[in-house]
Amino acid sequence: MTEQVNDIDRSLYDFTKSEEGYERYADGLTPQIVEAISKKKDEPAWMLDLRMKSLELYQKMDMPANWGPAIDGLDMDHISTYVAPKTKQATTWDDVPEEVRDTFERLGIPQAERSYLAGVGAQYDSELVYHNMQTTAAQMGVVYSGIEEALHGEYAELIKEHFMKLIPPHDHKFAALHGAVWSGGSFVYVPKDVEVEFPLQSYFRLNAAGAGQFEHTLIIIEPGAKLHFIEGCSAPKYNVANLHAGAVELFVGKNASLRYSTIENWSKNMYNLNTKRAQVAEGGNMEWVSGSFGSHVGYLYPSTFLKGAGSTCEFTGITFAGATQNLDTGCKVIMSAPDTKASISTKSLSKGGGISTFRSSIVVTPAADRAKATVSCASLMLDDISRSDTIPAMDVRNATASVGHEATIGRISDDTILYLMSRGIPEEEARTMIVNGFANPISKELPLEYAVEMNNLIKLEMEGAIG
């Protein structure tokens, strides 16, 4: 087993590329930088106005205090908010510059597109470098493009109507930061009753050291439509802080269904302060599948507003916190209509002094008659120097609602290890088998290539876990 672990290519995410010839704005945040970003993108006046108001809010707000892990190591005066290779967005991989294309080839994105995806968007630092969609999906009226591109097309008013409505800039300091300097991201529109048979995928790669990535994803699913959207993220490791403060806004129409799968493999110098929210209409379903395996510090709590009668939300997540990592993850569901349902199931692992914290928040409003919600979270600590916490919050204001929570926190049983070793299984392999068994209910929900990737990451993290 040890030989198999050593054979895994550790360079999958940690390779770097030169920034020679790149456009890079000065570190820090000023009105001039915000104006330059907007001018570069030739944005409508309302977007520049939103950016400047967001900047004003950001400068007035305090950093988060008494909430989640400390982020003292993040100094915005040493973060560049815009870095990009000098290339235009391409619709074929051959038109992507070789050094950028090589990055995505090594990450397997073009192969995944050829194999089973209906469309792919690839962002490199602050800009999309590739975006394409199958003709069959386009013929059904599905729109999948860069959001900046869509701002200049027939869907501009639709974007204006929805942009930063679920995540308003005044919500928190990093929402305001995002509103000021966002760049890149995707826009998806699925017409009424259209079911997209194959997933769409966006992949975000942050290559530059000491930089931030602030992509914005906006997805609108009309009544009766169905979509699976996959988001992947990675970055190489540097000895300086990097920042990810993207935003995801999802609008799910009546009787529509959206599955949003995310696998985050950020490097361990990354501060991942992402914000994700969904709004679901009558009879609609929102399904989150979330895997958090990277970043030095993570704040990630996807939120779902069940606004329509009979709307539902399912959240399935797994977190792996290794050495030097403090990952604070979870989800929030606000139930504000009759017969709404929510199901939350999470697993977390911590090793090498890693800290994993799960937070859940269920809010049942007076209007949510007969609402039902269940929360289940299980945590496994792989040594005696790691930490795991679960912090559930339930705010129930309707007597007809049914809300339940269960949590388990434990360590690998020595008796189980001894039993497996008595059957001829080496200790390290026995521990890996137990961890894989623990994670399997979650990993089977991931897209296939990410499930394999997760198992490989567990093997890598398990190396040296004995004792």
Side-chain angles (χ1 to χ4, degrees), residues 1-10 428-429 432-433 436 455-456 459-460 463:
M1 182 64 182
T2 302
E3 292 180 359
Q4 293 178 6
V5 171
N6 289 338
D7 286 342
I8 294 174
D9 185 2
R10 292 176 177 273
E428 184 173 331
E429 184 174 348
T432 303
M433 286 176 63
N436 280 328
N455 290 334
N456 286 340
K459 289 178 184 178
L460 286 174
E463 183 178 10

Side-chain angles (χ1 to χ4, degrees), residues 64 116 124 173 216 218 222 245 264 282 430 437:
Y116 71 94
Y124 196 83
K173 190 173 181 69
H216 195 101
L218 175 61
E222 294 287 11
E264 299 191 342
E282 178 184 350

